[in-house]
Amino acid sequence: GRILPGMTLKVYLFQALLWFCPVCFSALLAFNLEAPNLWPYLRLLLGAALNFSFGLSLELLHCVVAQRGKTEEGVARGRMAWCLDDEDVDFRRLFTPQVMDLLLPRRRFLLALCSCLLSAALGAVTAQVLAPQQLANDLQLDQTSAYVVSGWVFLTAGMAHFGLHAQPAPEVNGTSST
């Protein structure tokens, strides 16, 4: 996430939701759907569906906020938004075009769809493979070790999901805001 001067608690909470939601979707499926009589690929399909819908909802949120910004602020303000410095963004309202542009990247439809599909694939694989019972059987681990390994890999998957959805910092992105 980003830490900038003037950020409010709701902006930090939004960044935390970007990080935790995909991880929680996959972890809840992996930890709670371990009944042996269930269809073996139920976690896989549910993980893909939940993570795809999460990514798609973020893209739709960004589009709605950007469209609302065009109608509220006018086209001239939209043209000047590209030259805003990170410190000039007003963080008092979370759902403004400037804040959303800072937190979520603007993408073309095909790139957004690819990002959602990658998120779905990552969520499906983590929900299916990282179930502690299955992990313990596959790697011949005791139950406690399986939970520890599963937890660490879920955290790593969360970082990958965050990179798929959130706007990277200018230092990582290769662009500068000044």
mmCIF file of all heavy atoms in Angstrom, residues 12 18 21 24 27 49 53 55-56 68-69 71 76 82-83 89 91 110 117-118 126 175-176:
data_model
loop_
_atom_site.group_PDB
_atom_site.id
_atom_site.type_symbol
_atom_site.label_atom_id
_atom_site.label_comp_id
_atom_site.label_asym_id
_atom_site.label_seq_id
_atom_site.Cartn_x
_atom_site.Cartn_y
_atom_site.Cartn_z
ATOM 1 N N TYR A 12 -6.764 4.094 4.169
ATOM 2 C CA TYR A 12 -5.967 2.958 4.646
ATOM 3 C C TYR A 12 -6.819 1.696 4.742
ATOM 4 O O TYR A 12 -6.363 0.601 4.404
ATOM 5 C CB TYR A 12 -5.337 3.265 6.000
ATOM 6 C CG TYR A 12 -4.254 4.298 5.934
ATOM 7 C CD1 TYR A 12 -4.348 5.473 6.662
ATOM 8 C CD2 TYR A 12 -3.122 4.113 5.144
ATOM 9 C CE1 TYR A 12 -3.349 6.428 6.602
ATOM 10 C CE2 TYR A 12 -2.129 5.057 5.081
ATOM 11 C CZ TYR A 12 -2.242 6.217 5.811
ATOM 12 O OH TYR A 12 -1.255 7.154 5.736
ATOM 13 N N LEU A 18 -8.354 -4.158 -0.130
ATOM 14 C CA LEU A 18 -7.774 -4.636 -1.388
ATOM 15 C C LEU A 18 -6.836 -5.803 -1.144
ATOM 16 O O LEU A 18 -6.719 -6.702 -1.969
ATOM 17 C CB LEU A 18 -6.993 -3.513 -2.077
ATOM 18 C CG LEU A 18 -7.777 -2.441 -2.786
ATOM 19 C CD1 LEU A 18 -6.839 -1.386 -3.334
ATOM 20 C CD2 LEU A 18 -8.600 -3.025 -3.906
ATOM 21 N N CYS A 21 -9.341 -9.034 1.119
ATOM 22 C CA CYS A 21 -10.520 -9.713 0.553
ATOM 23 C C CYS A 21 -10.179 -10.947 -0.270
ATOM 24 O O CYS A 21 -10.736 -12.016 -0.011
ATOM 25 C CB CYS A 21 -11.367 -8.728 -0.249
ATOM 26 S SG CYS A 21 -12.426 -7.732 0.799
ATOM 27 N N CYS A 24 -8.948 -13.656 2.068
ATOM 28 C CA CYS A 24 -10.017 -14.202 2.909
ATOM 29 C C CYS A 24 -10.946 -15.109 2.119
ATOM 30 O O CYS A 24 -11.384 -16.144 2.630
ATOM 31 C CB CYS A 24 -10.807 -13.067 3.554
ATOM 32 S SG CYS A 24 -9.898 -12.227 4.851
ATOM 33 N N ALA A 27 -8.970 -18.357 1.641
ATOM 34 C CA ALA A 27 -8.716 -19.023 2.918
ATOM 35 C C ALA A 27 -9.999 -19.594 3.512
ATOM 36 O O ALA A 27 -9.994 -20.717 4.030
ATOM 37 C CB ALA A 27 -8.066 -18.053 3.896
ATOM 38 N N ALA A 49 -14.668 -17.949 -8.915
ATOM 39 C CA ALA A 49 -15.831 -17.057 -9.040
ATOM 40 C C ALA A 49 -15.739 -15.876 -8.081
ATOM 41 O O ALA A 49 -15.997 -14.728 -8.466
ATOM 42 C CB ALA A 49 -17.112 -17.850 -8.794
ATOM 43 N N SER A 53 -15.158 -12.034 -9.386
ATOM 44 C CA SER A 53 -16.175 -11.015 -9.097
ATOM 45 C C SER A 53 -15.599 -9.874 -8.275
ATOM 46 O O SER A 53 -15.992 -8.715 -8.452
ATOM 47 C CB SER A 53 -17.384 -11.642 -8.405
ATOM 48 O OG SER A 53 -17.009 -12.208 -7.171
ATOM 49 N N GLY A 55 -12.420 -8.750 -8.470
ATOM 50 C CA GLY A 55 -11.653 -7.945 -9.419
ATOM 51 C C GLY A 55 -12.552 -7.146 -10.342
ATOM 52 O O GLY A 55 -12.298 -5.971 -10.616
ATOM 53 N N LEU A 56 -13.628 -7.765 -10.802
ATOM 54 C CA LEU A 56 -14.564 -7.074 -11.678
ATOM 55 C C LEU A 56 -15.270 -5.937 -10.947
ATOM 56 O O LEU A 56 -15.475 -4.862 -11.514
ATOM 57 C CB LEU A 56 -15.572 -8.076 -12.234
ATOM 58 C CG LEU A 56 -16.456 -7.607 -13.376
ATOM 59 C CD1 LEU A 56 -15.604 -7.257 -14.588
ATOM 60 C CD2 LEU A 56 -17.458 -8.686 -13.733
ATOM 61 N N ARG A 68 -18.515 9.554 -12.800
ATOM 62 C CA ARG A 68 -19.120 10.557 -11.924
ATOM 63 C C ARG A 68 -18.233 11.786 -11.845
ATOM 64 O O ARG A 68 -18.701 12.904 -11.803
ATOM 65 C CB ARG A 68 -19.358 9.976 -10.528
ATOM 66 C CG ARG A 68 -20.195 10.888 -9.657
ATOM 67 C CD ARG A 68 -20.359 10.329 -8.292
ATOM 68 N NE ARG A 68 -19.081 10.506 -7.598
ATOM 69 C CZ ARG A 68 -18.775 9.946 -6.475
ATOM 70 N NH1 ARG A 68 -19.613 9.115 -5.906
ATOM 71 N NH2 ARG A 68 -17.626 10.171 -5.891
ATOM 72 N N GLY A 69 -16.917 11.573 -11.847
ATOM 73 C CA GLY A 69 -15.984 12.695 -11.810
ATOM 74 C C GLY A 69 -16.049 13.533 -13.069
ATOM 75 O O GLY A 69 -15.902 14.750 -13.016
ATOM 76 N N THR A 71 -18.758 14.014 -14.883
ATOM 77 C CA THR A 71 -19.988 14.800 -14.874
ATOM 78 C C THR A 71 -19.955 15.873 -13.795
ATOM 79 O O THR A 71 -20.485 16.948 -13.983
ATOM 80 C CB THR A 71 -21.215 13.899 -14.659
ATOM 81 O OG1 THR A 71 -21.079 13.203 -13.424
ATOM 82 C CG2 THR A 71 -21.352 12.915 -15.789
ATOM 83 N N ALA A 76 -12.670 19.825 -18.368
ATOM 84 C CA ALA A 76 -11.422 20.566 -18.170
ATOM 85 C C ALA A 76 -10.708 20.082 -16.909
ATOM 86 O O ALA A 76 -9.477 19.930 -16.894
ATOM 87 C CB ALA A 76 -11.702 22.057 -18.071
ATOM 88 N N TRP A 82 -4.152 14.696 -14.621
ATOM 89 C CA TRP A 82 -2.907 13.953 -14.844
ATOM 90 C C TRP A 82 -1.704 14.657 -14.248
ATOM 91 O O TRP A 82 -0.705 14.036 -13.952
ATOM 92 C CB TRP A 82 -2.694 13.697 -16.329
ATOM 93 C CG TRP A 82 -2.462 14.952 -17.123
ATOM 94 C CD1 TRP A 82 -3.415 15.715 -17.713
ATOM 95 C CD2 TRP A 82 -1.217 15.593 -17.381
ATOM 96 N NE1 TRP A 82 -2.847 16.793 -18.320
ATOM 97 C CE2 TRP A 82 -1.486 16.741 -18.141
ATOM 98 C CE3 TRP A 82 0.105 15.306 -17.043
ATOM 99 C CZ2 TRP A 82 -0.497 17.600 -18.565
ATOM 100 C CZ3 TRP A 82 1.089 16.173 -17.473
ATOM 101 C CH2 TRP A 82 0.789 17.304 -18.223
ATOM 102 N N CYS A 83 -1.785 15.964 -14.038
ATOM 103 C CA CYS A 83 -0.624 16.682 -13.523
ATOM 104 C C CYS A 83 -0.675 16.865 -12.007
ATOM 105 O O CYS A 83 0.182 17.530 -11.442
ATOM 106 C CB CYS A 83 -0.462 18.032 -14.221
ATOM 107 S SG CYS A 83 -1.800 19.171 -13.868
ATOM 108 N N VAL A 89 -3.620 15.615 -3.666
ATOM 109 C CA VAL A 89 -4.889 14.882 -3.692
ATOM 110 C C VAL A 89 -5.610 15.093 -2.368
ATOM 111 O O VAL A 89 -5.017 14.987 -1.292
ATOM 112 C CB VAL A 89 -4.637 13.378 -3.944
ATOM 113 C CG1 VAL A 89 -5.928 12.595 -3.859
ATOM 114 C CG2 VAL A 89 -3.974 13.179 -5.286
ATOM 115 N N PHE A 91 -7.852 13.710 0.280
ATOM 116 C CA PHE A 91 -8.233 12.371 0.734
ATOM 117 C C PHE A 91 -9.449 12.383 1.653
ATOM 118 O O PHE A 91 -9.783 11.358 2.232
ATOM 119 C CB PHE A 91 -7.061 11.714 1.472
ATOM 120 C CG PHE A 91 -5.925 11.344 0.576
ATOM 121 C CD1 PHE A 91 -4.753 12.073 0.580
ATOM 122 C CD2 PHE A 91 -6.025 10.270 -0.287
ATOM 123 C CE1 PHE A 91 -3.705 11.739 -0.243
ATOM 124 C CE2 PHE A 91 -4.990 9.927 -1.124
ATOM 125 C CZ PHE A 91 -3.825 10.662 -1.099
ATOM 126 N N LEU A 110 -9.519 -4.875 -22.040
ATOM 127 C CA LEU A 110 -8.851 -6.166 -22.200
ATOM 128 C C LEU A 110 -7.828 -6.412 -21.091
ATOM 129 O O LEU A 110 -7.730 -7.519 -20.558
ATOM 130 C CB LEU A 110 -8.182 -6.242 -23.577
ATOM 131 C CG LEU A 110 -7.665 -7.606 -23.989
ATOM 132 C CD1 LEU A 110 -8.777 -8.642 -23.980
ATOM 133 C CD2 LEU A 110 -7.031 -7.532 -25.363
ATOM 134 N N LEU A 117 -9.021 -12.254 -14.691
ATOM 135 C CA LEU A 117 -8.825 -13.686 -14.938
ATOM 136 C C LEU A 117 -7.616 -14.229 -14.183
ATOM 137 O O LEU A 117 -7.660 -15.346 -13.650
ATOM 138 C CB LEU A 117 -8.682 -13.951 -16.442
ATOM 139 C CG LEU A 117 -9.962 -13.807 -17.258
ATOM 140 C CD1 LEU A 117 -9.664 -13.911 -18.748
ATOM 141 C CD2 LEU A 117 -10.999 -14.819 -16.833
ATOM 142 N N LEU A 118 -6.537 -13.447 -14.125
ATOM 143 C CA LEU A 118 -5.376 -13.873 -13.324
ATOM 144 C C LEU A 118 -5.727 -13.955 -11.850
ATOM 145 O O LEU A 118 -5.293 -14.870 -11.146
ATOM 146 C CB LEU A 118 -4.210 -12.913 -13.537
ATOM 147 C CG LEU A 118 -3.426 -13.077 -14.821
ATOM 148 C CD1 LEU A 118 -2.422 -11.949 -14.968
ATOM 149 C CD2 LEU A 118 -2.722 -14.410 -14.832
ATOM 150 N N THR A 126 -5.160 -21.215 -5.030
ATOM 151 C CA THR A 126 -4.878 -21.153 -3.592
ATOM 152 C C THR A 126 -5.988 -21.805 -2.780
ATOM 153 O O THR A 126 -5.720 -22.470 -1.784
ATOM 154 C CB THR A 126 -4.664 -19.700 -3.120
ATOM 155 O OG1 THR A 126 -5.767 -18.895 -3.507
ATOM 156 C CG2 THR A 126 -3.383 -19.129 -3.657
ATOM 157 N N THR A 175 7.054 5.399 -13.353
ATOM 158 C CA THR A 175 6.616 6.738 -13.736
ATOM 159 C C THR A 175 6.806 7.679 -12.567
ATOM 160 O O THR A 175 6.972 7.253 -11.434
ATOM 161 C CB THR A 175 5.127 6.749 -14.136
ATOM 162 O OG1 THR A 175 4.342 6.353 -13.008
ATOM 163 C CG2 THR A 175 4.876 5.829 -15.305
ATOM 164 N N SER A 176 6.759 8.920 -12.831
ATOM 165 C CA SER A 176 6.923 9.922 -11.780
ATOM 166 C C SER A 176 5.720 10.826 -11.767
ATOM 167 O O SER A 176 5.129 11.117 -12.801
ATOM 168 C CB SER A 176 8.195 10.748 -12.035
ATOM 169 O OG SER A 176 8.294 11.762 -11.091
#
